[in-house]
Amino acid sequence: MIKDLSALADGPVSVSGWVDTVRDQKKVQFIVLRDESGAAQLVNPAVREPSVDLQTGADDAASADRFAITEAISTLAHGSFITVTGQLKKDERVKLGGLEIKLETLDLVTEALPETPIAADSGLDKRMDWRFLDLRHPKQNLIFRIQTTFLHALRTYWVDNDFIEIQTPKLMASASESRAELFEVEYFEGKAYLAQSPQFYKQMAQPAGFGKVFEIGPAFRADPSFTSRHATEFTSIDSELSWIDDHEDVMRLHEELIVAGFTAVKEKHGAEIVELFDVEVTVPSTPFPRIPLAEAKRIVAERGYEVPRADADLDPEGERRIAAYVAETFEHEFVFLTDYASSIRPFYHMRHANDPSLTNSYDLLFNGTEISTGAQREHRVEVLVEQAKEKGLDPEELGFYLDFFRYGVPPHGGFGMGLARVLMLMLHQASIREVTYLFRGPTRLEP
Ligand code: AMO
């Protein structure tokens, strides 16, 4: 890889990558060669005509080779993959990490078409059309290295703390979140639905005696909106644990995971993130601020913004206002909004013992956008059935789920968190499309 060249002494090297730019000057040609690890400058003293030995009339072999390389470079298209050999000379004056190679051979492995379909100023939609080319950009590459580090840190935390990894099915017979956002698929003689969340199955692990589980997997929502934070398919980070007292235990787990992920990202990529995104990643302090939703609404109202529907969640503007308050008051980018009204929470959320209009639940906001929902679950089956009916759900349809609670189950809770939202907000990006390998939305099923 190109980055390994920095550790080598000056001398002969061989390296492969794609052609980023070519500067074809009369006497000298420069290529910026890139791979996923970095870039180097290739130099070729141009020979525009092969010189001939005047006595024998034969081509001078060296000059003929140089002539052939010169010709090849003159027609080399941006994006072509090449393998070269040459003499490495580290020179601090050269940009791109001071790596310069004087070319000896050039092998054109695969040629790119002369016109590249996207340019630096192409719009997001066009870039999405040509995502594989868009991803060659060092910024894009860094996003996915950050994602790898973040998920690895979460996984390490879970494994170190005796959580079990599960893979739950993505084909289901019923909805787990809302009927409105459900993808229906033909399933032999009948129909199936794409899982909106691993909710029911991560809960199943509790009566199964697993104690603590996690899953990183796809979730599907037939959400027709075109906002910057919604996809029809997204990666959901889920965890669930037994023997909690209430949602406070879930929030503690949640913030420890965030700290583990952000610490790893900052340690490994902090400098590159500043360089390429001009963003300083902050590892949040714990505990994160916690504000009951009703109080959050009061706070934003006092600051001149009335959330349009009194019985609803904060709207995006309300979220921004509460984030501003949290930043000023606690110097924090995260806030847990807690104790949501049961009227706006799913049937499976545990309600307050002394006030069933409220739930033991929370949303986690990061820089003013929801990244996560978590809750203690109702584990008493008779209460669960009543709550389902109250929400207009048919207990018959939920039969398999309700059975989980009929043979002994510990108190439990957990959360689901959208991976792309975390990355978007961490890197100050305008849309989850920027940080999703291949985005899926109402009008995008390709590439
Ligand atoms: P919820 O529906 O709030 O909760 O989803 C949890 C988190 O998943 C992400 N998310 C999305 N990301 C991109 N596009 C979407 N359409 C989308 N929908 C949701 C968000 C959101 O905060 N079962 C519960 C979680 C739980 O209680 O454990 C659930 O799915 O980041």
Side-chain angles (χ1 to χ4, degrees), residues 176-177 181 196-199 202 220-221 223 225 229-236 238-240 345-346 348-349 363-364 370-375 377 414-422 432:
S176 62
E177 297 301 320
E181 297 180 348
Q196 299 162 302
S197 155
Q199 184 63 39
K202 64 177 179 168
F220 304 88
R221 306 271 171 110
D223 186 331
S225 59
R229 52 163 112 168
H230 288 96
T232 49
E233 177 176 351
F234 64 96
T235 300
S236 185
D238 283 84
S239 202
E240 195 80 16
R345 287 309 220 194
Y348 55 77
H349 281 198
D363 271 8
L364 177 58
E370 177 204 319
I371 56 168
S372 197
T373 296
R377 320 304 185 185
F415 68 83
M417 176 161 74
L419 171 62
R421 291 203 190 170
V422 178
I432 56 170

Side-chain angles (χ1 to χ4, degrees), residues 22-70:
V22 177
R23 252 191 310 139
D24 193 3
Q25 297 172 354
K26 191 152 178 272
K27 296 213 164 125
V28 60
Q29 298 169 306
F30 296 98
I31 300 172
V32 172
L33 182 75
R34 281 194 186 277
D35 71 4
E36 66 277 21
S37 72
Q41 174 164 276
L42 312 180
V43 197
N44 182 52
V47 171
R48 301 291 170 181
E49 277 177 32
S51 57
V52 175
D53 186 315
L54 292 176
Q55 279 177 355
T56 63
D59 286 353
D60 168 350
S63 139
D65 287 350
R66 186 68 63 200
F67 172 69
I69 293 180
T70 305

Side-chain angles (χ1 to χ4, degrees), residues 96-169:
L96 310 166
L99 298 171
E100 186 168 271
I101 298 168
K102 186 170 169 204
L103 283 183
E104 284 168 355
T105 65
L106 184 151
D107 178 19
L108 178 54
V109 180
T110 50
E111 199 172 359
L113 288 174
E115 295 298 323
T116 307
I118 52 169
D121 59 353
S122 295
L124 185 54
D125 227 40
K126 181 90 187 245
R127 287 172 40 218
M128 297 290 105
D129 288 342
W130 296 97
R131 188 62 166 153
F132 66 99
L133 297 176
D134 186 45
L135 290 172
R136 284 188 191 170
H137 195 283
K139 254 175 120 165
Q140 300 294 336
N141 189 277
L142 178 58
I143 290 171
F144 294 93
R145 285 186 289 122
I146 292 166
Q147 178 177 296
T148 305
T149 301
F150 182 72
L151 291 179
H152 181 67
L154 263 50
R155 213 177 266 284
T156 303
Y157 176 95
W158 278 313
V159 172
D160 288 350
N161 287 281
D162 295 326
F163 282 69
I164 296 176
E165 180 165 8
I166 53 173
Q167 276 82 35
T168 63

